[in-house]
């Protein structure tokens, strides 16, 4: 199972973290931007090529430290078709370096539309008698608040192509309380979503005891993480919100089981923009990202032991 691959990489590197690749052009050091502006002018093409070089540099610097990367599709969609093509290249490059790739797409549509999304991100697209893997991520994030109709098409491709998904359960944003903390009978809405997540997963336990449908559980709400871990012992957690959003290593420890398994913690801007704090104008962006990734690993591993 795909989550077994991720957990094995975490164990091998003794690192339960994932690096976000959510690059805006202003996150890219000036010397890289200037090179492509000189070639293409102030154009979308220049931005795309600068971000791709930046992404590849980050991947090169991090691939022996982190087990996975998480590109957020919005930062590529806003560059149009060039950005989406560059995202495809970024995913391919990350996988060539042995990294597990979670595409943060948060899709939540239904029926044929959900099937088309799944074909593009996890499955295969058919043209005549031929089939093509397009983005070919290992895993995607999904919004399941439209129910099983938004999830099932992805699960079909998960079974066919050995992939996994993370469904939004208790997110890290402040206004999550507006819906997710409301009561539904004797449970919070996020607990109901946790039950649904386990229902959608069915009997798909892998080698490490986790099923095919993971849960997004925000680092900024540690009490809810505790509740959900007790409720969902066989669910793999993706934990955003560490660092820039205020979540701490002490908060995220509750996402893990007694073996230090079953969760992966994300940092995006903290790693990508680490160079902005060194005073070297980004010439050391790889070293800066690497150092912060190591600090994050060590910070979290003060609270958990990965066996």
């Amino acid at each position: 199972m795909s989550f077994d691959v991720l957990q094995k990489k975490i164990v091998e590197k003794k690192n339960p973290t994932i690096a976000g690749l959510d690059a805006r052009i202003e996150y890219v050091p000036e010397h890289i931007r200037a090179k492509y502006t000189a070639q293409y002018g102030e154009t979308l093409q220049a931005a795309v090529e600068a971000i791709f070089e930046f992404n590849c540099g980050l991947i090169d610097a991090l691939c022996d430290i982190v087990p996975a990367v998480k590109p957020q599709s919005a930062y590529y969609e806003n560059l149009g078709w060039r950005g989406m093509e560059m995202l495809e290249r970024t995913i391919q490059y990350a996988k060539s370096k042995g990294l597990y790739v979670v595409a943060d797409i948060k899709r939540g549509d239904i029926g044929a539309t959900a099937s088309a999304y799944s074909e593009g991100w996890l499955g295969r697209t058919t043209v005549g008698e031929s089939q093509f893997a397009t983005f070919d991520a290992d895993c995607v994030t999904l919004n399941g608040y439209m129910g099983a109709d938004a999830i099932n098409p992805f699960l079909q491709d998960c079974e066919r192509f050995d992939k996994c998904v993370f469904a939004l359960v208790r997110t890290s944003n402040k206004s999550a309380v507006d819906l997710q903390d409301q009561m539904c009978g004797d449970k919070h809405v996020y607990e109901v979503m946790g039950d649904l997540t386990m229902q959608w997963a069915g009997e798909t336990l892998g080698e490490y005891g986790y099923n095919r449908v993971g849960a997004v559980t925000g680092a900024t709400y540690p009490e809810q993480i505790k509740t959900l871990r007790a409720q969902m012992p066989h669910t793999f957690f993706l934990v955003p919100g560490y660092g820039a959003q205020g979540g701490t290593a002490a908060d995220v420890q509750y996402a893990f089981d007694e073996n230090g398994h079953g969760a992966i913690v994300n940092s995006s801007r903290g790693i990508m923009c680490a160079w902005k704090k060194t005073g070297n104008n980004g010439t050391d962006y790889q070293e800066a990202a690497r150092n912060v990734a190591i600090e994050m690993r060590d910070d979290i591993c003060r609270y958990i032991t990965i066996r």
Side-chain angles (χ1 to χ4, degrees), residues 196-236:
L196 287 172
T197 297
M198 292 187 289
Q199 178 182 317
W200 296 330
E203 300 299 322
T204 59
L205 293 185
E207 174 186 350
Y208 289 92
Y210 293 95
N211 58 47
R212 209 181 284 281
V213 183
V216 177
T217 57
T220 47
Y221 295 96
E223 291 303 317
Q224 286 86 342
I225 293 178
K226 288 182 187 178
T227 298
L228 289 168
R229 177 44 75 207
Q231 177 185 349
M232 308 167 73
H234 300 294
T235 301
F236 209 100

Side-chain angles (χ1 to χ4, degrees), residues 65-145:
I65 299 171
V66 302
V69 292
K70 183 179 70 64
Q72 161 53 258
S73 64
Y75 294 95
Y76 301 85
E77 291 173 28
N78 72 352
L79 296 167
W81 66 266
R82 296 171 184 83
M84 297 308 288
E85 186 271 341
M86 185 260 290
L87 174 55
E88 185 178 343
R89 284 191 280 151
T90 295
I91 291 172
Q92 290 171 352
Y93 190 74
K95 293 178 75 171
S96 78
K97 293 293 184 174
L99 291 168
Y100 187 94
V101 178
V102 177
D104 193 355
I105 62 173
K106 295 188 180 71
R107 299 301 192 259
D109 217 318
I110 61 173
T113 305
S115 294
Y117 278 135
S118 183
E119 289 165 8
W121 288 101
L122 297 179
R124 301 291 184 272
T125 297
T126 301
V127 181
E129 298 298 319
S130 301
Q131 288 194 325
F132 301 91
T134 49
F135 293 105
D136 198 26
D138 296 302
C139 181
V140 296
T141 58
L142 300 176
N143 186 341
Y145 278 86

